Amino acid sequence: MLSRSYCLHQARVCLSLARLTGDASVRQRLEELALNFAERIGGEDDLDVAQIFAGIKPSKIKDGNPA
């Protein structure tokens, strides 16, 4: 089982890399990975997770899963 802090860190890294890339498919994959790490952390009530994903457009997330 991965620790909460490790998953939180990895989600942040994935989103940072997603912001830097110019390739849309790479960006989407990195956002999907970040969401996978977030699912391991907790639910929507988690403030850390909510702050991390504030930059992702809601249209990309459907029922907690990437579109």
Side-chain angles (χ1 to χ4, degrees), residues 12 29 49 55 57:
R12 286 180 176 148
R29 179 63 183 136
V49 175
K57 296 177 183 174

Side-chain angles (χ1 to χ4, degrees), residues 23-65:
D23 187 331
S25 63
V26 172
R27 178 177 294 128
Q28 181 178 357
R29 179 63 183 136
L30 287 166
E31 289 175 350
E32 290 171 359
L33 287 171
L35 287 171
N36 289 340
F37 279 113
E39 287 175 356
R40 295 178 185 205
I41 295 170
E44 295 177 11
D45 295 336
D46 192 328
L47 183 59
D48 291 336
V49 175
Q51 288 174 346
I52 288 173
F53 290 101
I56 293 182
K57 296 177 183 174
S59 62
K60 294 184 180 182
I61 304 171
K62 294 181 181 176
D63 299 324
N65 295 316

